[in-house]
Amino acid sequence: MDNTENMDFEAKRTKQADELMQLLDERRMKELQLRLEDMNEFDVAEFLSEIGDNRMPMVFRLLSKQMAADVFANFDSPEQEQIINSITDSELSAIIEELYVDDAVDMMEELPANVVKRVMRTATPETRRLINQYLNYPENSAGSIMTAEFVDLKKYMNVRESIARIRRIGEDKETIYTCFVTSADRKLEGVLSVKDLLLSDDETVIEDIMDTNIVFCMTHDDQEEAAEKISDYDLMALPVVDKEGRLVGIVTVDDVIDVMEAEATEDFEIMAAMTPSDKPYSRTSALDMWKRRVPWLMFLMLSATFTSMIINSFEDALAVQAVLIGFIPMLMGTGGNSGAQASTAVIRSISLGDTEPEDVGRVIWKEFRVAILCGVTLAAVNFVKMLMVDRMLLNNDGVTLTVAAVVSLAIVFIVMFAKVVGSVLPIAAEKLGVDPAVMANPLISTITDAVSLLIYFEIAKLMISF
Amino acid sequence: MDNTENMDFEAKRTKQADELMQLLDERRMKELQLRLEDMNEFDVAEFLSEIGDNRMPMVFRLLSKQMAADVFANFDSPEQEQIINSITDSELSAIIEELYVDDAVDMMEELPANVVKRVMRTATPETRRLINQYLNYPENSAGSIMTAEFVDLKKYMNVRESIARIRRIGEDKETIYTCFVTSADRKLEGVLSVKDLLLSDDETVIEDIMDTNIVFCMTHDDQEEAAEKISDYDLMALPVVDKEGRLVGIVTVDDVIDVMEAEATEDFEIMAAMTPSDKPYSRTSALDMWKRRVPWLMFLMLSATFTSMIINSFEDALAVQAVLIGFIPMLMGTGGNSGAQASTAVIRSISLGDTEPEDVGRVIWKEFRVAILCGVTLAAVNFVKMLMVDRMLLNNDGVTLTVAAVVSLAIVFIVMFAKVVGSVLPIAAEKLGVDPAVMANPLISTITDAVSLLIYFEIAKLMISF
């Protein structure tokens, strides 16, 4: 940390980017090449993304084979496409062979068909076979995110032989820190970490130190399940086996971070009534966004026909007691917000594995108590507020004691209904195999809107000439 | 995977739990002890959590010192408290000393004060000093989640000496896979991985293979920043340095998963208008939930006073054109949902580092186009629907061509307003240093509710005698 000792990380990175840009502007390519080769691949990818479309492929071609592949894996698909379109077949082939299979597969899933064709044509038959095999695993399965590059050992090897093997074959493996012990027919027999190896004597036999209590998943398991196991068991890598128990790949801890980010984003999008997308916001076109948003808006808009019908059926009464109209938005808002709180809490709890369908009774009971506490608090505040603000301050004579009581009583029942429905629907969805995230604010609001109106008008009917 | 070859992972775990339970019921403690010692600490912790309060401490005391500490670190705080209350001071001291500092600190933050006191009393002075130092880092800072147990090397060592050192001191380190090269005054000079070590010749000097291009963070940086660096750079461990550039700890990749989960949960909660909580749903009391939910509900309820005022000021007109009332909920819902889509998309994009305050122009322009596309589509469908369903099917004579036009035109403007406001407010919050997640559905809805009404009534005034 020599000369830049007391600079923080961001300042160093900015300084580095400025220096690189200067080298590029002054066309000092040899120096630029040396600097880039020394950097982290993530930073190189960031730098290349920023220097502009026309210079980027030229600078990319300065990189060594290994660095080029690493940087390529760090690119988003538009940059990948641009690179592919500007390099020769043999350069492309070199990159594809250097990529880990899971990165290559990620890339294939995003690229346009004609580019995929060219990539497949330049790949070696073995790589082509592997990519095709991976592309056949269901989307978002453990198989689709695993990688085939792992260290395998045999149980009759000793520690010295194992370390020698790692030193020999480790270069191309995505992780060397977890090693997998397989039988002659490729069945998984045990796992052990490099830590176990290093902390054992050279002559110890693998069979004596390997862990046979293996945490694993199947190729067709959901990627979320694989991520959860890695997180629960604090693993560096999770073995993926096929139906015959043969080890076919591993999922590494850095994949989990990507999976978790993607799954959280998906939940956020579904919970805001959007069809989820793999693409970042900045890369999504307005037309694509329209496609992902408008069907849900339309469905919810048309569902609101029920609220119209309810209001229309009370139209004459409302014309007489017009003061009641003013509190409709507040009541619907309170119902929607109360329901959203409950549904969000339960949806998140389900997705973290904290709540399961069996817990439905306990959840209802809890939300019921929360609803009474919230409902009564809100009703009391509202009652005072209507008399003090609406009646006295704003001089709205229609706000009588009875009207304030009607609105406040409605709040209690609306909050109770909203919280119970908001908590039950996500659990019901989980039970039925539907994504609980669907049962979030927009849908809950549409339901509570209609019911809030009914509760409000029925209470009004009972208490005033309505 | 021998005799249970074709069973899947879940089936194996259930079988294992059943067998353990049987051993416990039959009081075959020696066998139980042997079985537990062979299992993964996460599974042991799960098993202990399930066997019931009275037998749990007894079984816990069967565990070896190392296993006891690992299982303890996997417990939630109620179980930790129960254990602490049922073991002797010397047993407690043994566990505390075995725990990694970050796990001990996590525990301290959750336990009641009297239990914390007892833990601190039984800890050695060195551990007590470390825990105190960690507790002083701000909540959610890199310092508060780092651990002090890392492997440090010197740059003049060679590979053989380094591997020997790892074999000697590695046992107690949280990760041995990233090693940190420090100077005599503990300043960080380089990093290298065990992979680098294993793939180099025995005589190579560390200085020649260490990476001086270090990705690091400061003790006071936000934990989210540390998590992002580990994720971006695919690191196993991130060094944490103090203001003087001295290495004080490391954040490991498994901490990142916890941080990401916690941060996503926090965003979900804030976006549903709840004060975030560290506790899982199932462990939160109804009273605690009330405290976290009711202030927001109250704030939003009181903000709805504006919508009441708007409606009240149009009360007379609405009494004449009562048909318009029926479409208020639909219009407010469409505004709220449109705004929620935009704000959620932008909030998520900000938190993934995809959108920054400088992008505000681009974001507005994109949302404006999406809004026109969505608004026009919805308006067209609504126009047809009002004439076909409301007028013809439901025989609502009030729904004239003009009324349908008023409502449809209002939709276009409401969607445009909602999408632009929904996308701008989170960016403005980020710029002002407020959590963008606050600008989510509940708040956006409250704003769009009021503006939707104004737009609707103004258009009605222009087009009909209103």
Side-chain angles (χ1 to χ4, degrees):
Chain A
M1 304 180 73
D2 28 314
N3 57 336
T4 51
E5 204 160 313
N6 284 325
M7 280 170 88
D8 77 358
F9 184 75
E10 289 310 318
K12 277 191 197 178
R13 271 193 59 189
T14 313
K15 181 162 165 284
Q16 173 175 275
D18 290 346
E19 288 167 3
L20 292 172
M21 202 58 92
Q22 201 185 342
L23 290 178
L24 177 62
D25 288 340
E26 296 170 5
R27 308 205 127 264
R28 289 150 69 186
M29 293 321 216
K30 197 70 211 163
E31 285 165 78
L32 180 61
Q33 182 174 29
L34 286 172
R35 283 288 299 268
L36 290 174
E37 212 54 44
D38 227 35
M39 285 165 54
N40 183 295
E41 58 264 24
F42 176 78
D43 289 333
V44 177
E46 291 267 289
F47 173 68
L48 287 179
S49 304
E50 280 160 19
I51 60 176
D53 286 358
N54 43 350
R55 297 192 292 184
M56 194 265 268
M58 175 190 72
V59 178
F60 182 82
R61 294 172 86 162
L62 295 175
L63 303 174
S64 68
K65 212 170 71 172
Q66 182 60 52
M67 178 59 100
D70 289 343
V71 168
F72 191 83
N74 265 291
F75 274 152
D76 288 331
S77 37
E79 278 100 5
Q80 290 183 333
E81 199 180 330
Q82 201 193 339
I83 291 294
I84 294 177
N85 289 332
S86 64
I87 58 179
T88 65
D89 279 3
S90 70
E91 285 171 322
L92 178 58
S93 168
I95 288 177
I96 302 299
E97 299 306 319
E98 285 289 331
L99 283 179
Y100 293 120
V101 181
D102 57 337
D103 289 330
V105 171
D106 275 357
M107 173 185 87
M108 303 301 246
E109 281 168 347
E110 298 293 328
L111 291 177
N114 60 325
V115 183
V116 169
K117 258 191 210 152
R118 181 160 167 243
V119 171
M120 286 304 239
R121 210 184 52 226
T122 55
T124 62
E126 170 58 13
T127 304
R128 196 154 51 221
R129 195 192 58 72
L130 259 181
I131 291 178
N132 271 323
Q133 179 195 331
Y134 275 60
L135 284 171
N136 277 331
Y137 291 117
E139 208 186 342
N140 300 331
S141 68
S144 75
I145 57 164
M146 70 186 184
T147 181
E149 291 90 354
F150 51 84
V151 174
D152 56 330
L153 302 174
K154 298 294 168 200
K155 60 183 171 190
Y156 48 78
M157 294 167 102
N158 67 23
V159 168
R160 188 169 9 82
E161 290 164 339
S162 301
I163 292 181
R165 179 170 166 80
I166 293 173
R167 295 180 99 154
R168 202 170 58 245
I169 67 164
E171 185 80 69
D172 298 327
K173 303 308 175 188
E174 181 141 0
T175 181
I176 64 163
Y177 302 128
T178 309
C179 304
F180 301 90
V181 184
T182 53
S183 64
D185 56 352
R186 287 178 38 216
K187 294 210 170 142
L188 183 59
E189 298 180 313
V191 292
L192 80 172
S193 67
V194 163
K195 187 168 175 176
D196 298 330
L197 280 175
L198 286 177
L199 301 179
S200 302
D201 287 331
D202 278 348
E203 302 308 320
T204 311
V205 176
I206 295 300
E207 186 164 17
D208 296 336
I209 52 171
M210 73 185 190
D211 191 351
T212 54
N213 211 330
I214 311 165
V215 179
F216 65 96
C217 74
M218 319 283 290
T219 48
H220 282 67
D221 284 350
D222 195 278
Q223 59 177 3
E224 232 176 324
E225 223 170 285
E228 229 165 75
K229 279 182 188 152
I230 291 183
S231 156
D232 284 347
Y233 291 94
D234 282 349
L235 304 176
M236 292 283 138
L238 177 75
V240 184
V241 303
D242 65 12
K243 283 197 201 93
E244 282 74 40
R246 285 186 306 236
L247 179 63
V248 289
I250 60 170
V251 175
T252 51
V253 65
D254 51 300
D255 298 326
V256 171
I257 294 177
D258 299 337
V259 168
M260 284 181 46
E261 249 175 26
E263 297 283 346
T265 302
E266 193 182 303
D267 276 357
F268 277 113
E269 290 175 334
I270 294 174
M271 289 170 76
M274 293 182 276
T275 308
S277 152
D278 286 341
K279 276 196 221 162
Y281 181 85
S282 62
R283 304 244 186 228
T284 313
S285 69
L287 197 70
D288 195 21
M289 285 192 183
W290 169 74
K291 276 190 218 149
R292 294 176 185 284
R293 293 183 184 181
V294 85
W296 297 97
L297 289 178
M298 191 153 332
F299 166 74
L300 295 167
M301 177 183 85
L302 295 176
S303 316
T305 304
F306 292 106
T307 51
S308 304
M309 284 167 63
I310 294 169
I311 291 186
N312 288 337
S313 70
F314 287 91
E315 207 178 278
D316 300 335
L318 279 173
V320 179
Q321 288 286 348
V323 63
L324 294 182
I325 305 171
F327 300 100
I328 291 178
M330 182 275 281
L331 290 172
M332 294 199 311
T334 302
N337 292 330
S338 302
Q341 289 180 334
S343 70
T344 302
V346 172
I347 290 168
R348 189 64 189 155
S349 179
I350 291 174
S351 86
L352 293 178
D354 174 49
T355 291
E356 285 171 31
E358 303 86 81
D359 302 325
V360 66
R362 228 168 312 151
V363 169
I364 292 180
W365 173 229
K366 188 177 276 181
E367 290 295 336
F368 180 76
R369 284 174 297 157
V370 177
I372 290 187
L373 287 171
C374 287
V376 169
T377 319
L378 294 176
V381 171
N382 176 68
F383 188 77
V384 175
K385 176 247 160 192
M386 279 179 72
L387 295 179
M388 306 270 286
V389 178
D390 296 297
R391 185 177 175 81
M392 288 166 64
L393 204 69
L394 301 176
N395 278 320
N396 190 338
D397 293 335
V399 181
T400 60
L401 217 66
T402 324
V403 168
V406 167
V407 175
S408 302
L409 208 56
I411 288 178
V412 178
F413 287 104
I414 288 170
V415 172
M416 280 170 55
F417 174 81
K419 288 233 179 268
V420 172
V421 166
S423 58
V424 169
L425 286 189
I427 299 182
E430 172 77 4
K431 183 87 190 167
L432 296 172
V434 177
D435 189 338
V438 172
M439 301 299 170
N441 199 352
L443 197 60
I444 298 284
S445 285
T446 301
I447 296 169
T448 55
D449 277 357
V451 177
S452 297
L453 284 174
L454 282 178
I455 291 175
Y456 184 36
F457 294 159
E458 289 303 324
I459 292 178
K461 264 209 297 202
L462 281 175
M463 293 180 60
I464 41 180
S465 60
F466 178 81
Chain B
M1 305 182 72
D2 26 315
N3 58 335
T4 51
E5 203 160 314
N6 285 323
M7 279 170 89
D8 76 0
F9 184 75
E10 289 309 318
K12 277 192 198 178
R13 272 193 58 189
T14 314
K15 182 163 165 283
Q16 173 176 274
D18 290 347
E19 288 167 3
L20 292 172
M21 202 58 92
Q22 201 185 340
L23 290 177
L24 177 63
D25 289 339
E26 295 170 8
R27 309 204 128 264
R28 290 150 68 186
M29 293 320 216
K30 197 71 210 164
E31 285 166 76
L32 180 62
Q33 182 174 30
L34 286 172
R35 283 289 298 268
L36 290 175
E37 212 53 44
D38 225 35
M39 284 165 54
N40 183 296
E41 58 265 25
F42 175 78
D43 289 332
V44 177
E46 292 266 290
F47 173 68
L48 286 178
S49 304
E50 279 161 20
I51 60 176
D53 286 358
N54 43 350
R55 296 192 293 183
M56 195 265 267
M58 175 190 72
V59 178
F60 182 82
R61 294 172 86 162
L62 295 176
L63 304 174
S64 68
K65 210 170 72 171
Q66 182 61 52
M67 177 60 100
D70 290 344
V71 168
F72 191 83
N74 266 290
F75 273 151
D76 288 331
S77 38
E79 278 100 5
Q80 289 183 334
E81 200 180 329
Q82 201 193 339
I83 290 294
I84 293 176
N85 289 332
S86 64
I87 59 180
T88 66
D89 278 3
S90 71
E91 284 170 323
L92 178 58
S93 168
I95 287 177
I96 302 300
E97 300 307 318
E98 285 289 332
L99 282 180
Y100 293 121
V101 181
D102 58 336
D103 289 330
V105 171
D106 276 358
M107 174 187 87
M108 303 298 246
E109 281 167 347
E110 299 293 327
L111 290 177
N114 60 325
V115 183
V116 169
K117 259 191 212 152
R118 178 158 171 245
V119 171
M120 286 304 240
R121 210 184 54 227
T122 55
T124 62
E126 170 58 14
T127 304
R128 196 155 49 221
R129 194 192 58 74
L130 259 180
I131 291 178
N132 271 323
Q133 179 194 332
Y134 275 60
L135 284 171
N136 277 331
Y137 292 116
E139 208 186 345
N140 299 332
S141 68
S144 75
I145 58 164
M146 71 185 184
T147 180
E149 292 89 355
F150 51 84
V151 174
D152 55 330
L153 302 175
K154 299 293 169 203
K155 61 182 171 192
Y156 48 77
M157 295 168 102
N158 67 22
V159 168
R160 188 170 7 82
E161 290 163 338
S162 301
I163 293 180
R165 179 169 166 80
I166 294 173
R167 294 181 99 152
R168 200 171 59 246
I169 68 164
E171 187 78 69
D172 297 327
K173 304 306 175 189
E174 181 142 358
T175 181
I176 63 164
Y177 302 129
T178 308
C179 304
F180 301 90
V181 184
T182 53
S183 64
D185 56 351
R186 284 178 41 218
K187 295 213 170 141
L188 182 60
E189 299 182 312
V191 292
L192 80 172
S193 67
V194 163
K195 188 168 175 176
D196 298 329
L197 280 176
L198 287 177
L199 300 179
S200 302
D201 286 331
D202 277 348
E203 301 310 319
T204 311
V205 176
I206 295 300
E207 186 164 16
D208 296 336
I209 51 170
M210 73 185 191
D211 191 352
T212 54
N213 211 328
I214 310 166
V215 179
F216 65 96
C217 73
M218 319 284 289
T219 46
H220 283 68
D221 284 349
D222 195 277
Q223 59 177 3
E224 230 177 325
E225 222 170 286
E228 228 166 74
K229 279 181 189 153
I230 291 183
S231 156
D232 284 348
Y233 292 93
D234 283 348
L235 305 176
M236 292 283 139
L238 176 76
V240 184
V241 302
D242 65 13
K243 283 196 201 93
E244 282 74 41
R246 284 186 306 238
L247 179 63
V248 288
I250 59 170
V251 176
T252 50
V253 66
D254 51 300
D255 298 325
V256 171
I257 295 177
D258 299 337
V259 168
M260 284 181 46
E261 248 174 28
E263 297 283 346
T265 302
E266 192 182 303
D267 277 356
F268 277 112
E269 289 174 335
I270 295 174
M271 288 170 75
M274 293 182 277
T275 307
S277 152
D278 286 341
K279 276 196 221 162
Y281 181 85
S282 61
R283 303 242 187 231
T284 313
S285 70
L287 197 70
D288 196 20
M289 284 190 184
W290 170 75
K291 276 190 220 152
R292 293 175 187 283
R293 293 183 184 182
V294 84
W296 298 97
L297 289 178
M298 191 150 337
F299 167 73
L300 296 167
M301 177 183 86
L302 295 177
S303 315
T305 304
F306 293 106
T307 51
S308 304
M309 284 167 63
I310 294 169
I311 291 185
N312 288 337
S313 71
F314 287 91
E315 208 179 278
D316 301 334
L318 279 173
V320 179
Q321 289 286 348
V323 62
L324 294 182
I325 305 171
F327 300 100
I328 291 177
M330 182 274 282
L331 290 172
M332 294 198 314
T334 301
N337 292 330
S338 302
Q341 290 181 332
S343 69
T344 303
V346 172
I347 290 168
R348 189 64 188 154
S349 179
I350 291 174
S351 86
L352 293 178
D354 174 50
T355 291
E356 285 171 31
E358 303 87 82
D359 302 325
V360 65
R362 228 168 313 150
V363 169
I364 292 180
W365 172 229
K366 188 177 276 180
E367 289 295 336
F368 180 76
R369 285 174 297 159
V370 177
I372 290 188
L373 287 171
C374 287
V376 170
T377 320
L378 294 175
V381 171
N382 176 68
F383 188 77
V384 175
K385 176 247 161 193
M386 279 178 72
L387 294 180
M388 306 271 287
V389 177
D390 295 297
R391 184 175 176 83
M392 288 166 65
L393 204 69
L394 302 176
N395 278 320
N396 189 337
D397 292 334
V399 181
T400 61
L401 217 64
T402 323
V403 168
V406 167
V407 175
S408 302
L409 208 56
I411 288 178
V412 178
F413 287 104
I414 288 170
V415 172
M416 278 170 56
F417 174 80
K419 288 230 178 272
V420 171
V421 166
S423 58
V424 168
L425 286 189
I427 298 182
E430 171 76 5
K431 182 87 189 167
L432 297 173
V434 177
D435 189 337
V438 172
M439 301 298 171
N441 199 353
L443 197 60
I444 298 285
S445 286
T446 301
I447 297 169
T448 57
D449 277 358
V451 177
S452 298
L453 284 174
L454 282 178
I455 291 175
Y456 184 35
F457 293 158
E458 289 303 325
I459 292 177
K461 265 209 294 201
L462 281 175
M463 293 179 59
I464 41 179
S465 58
F466 179 79

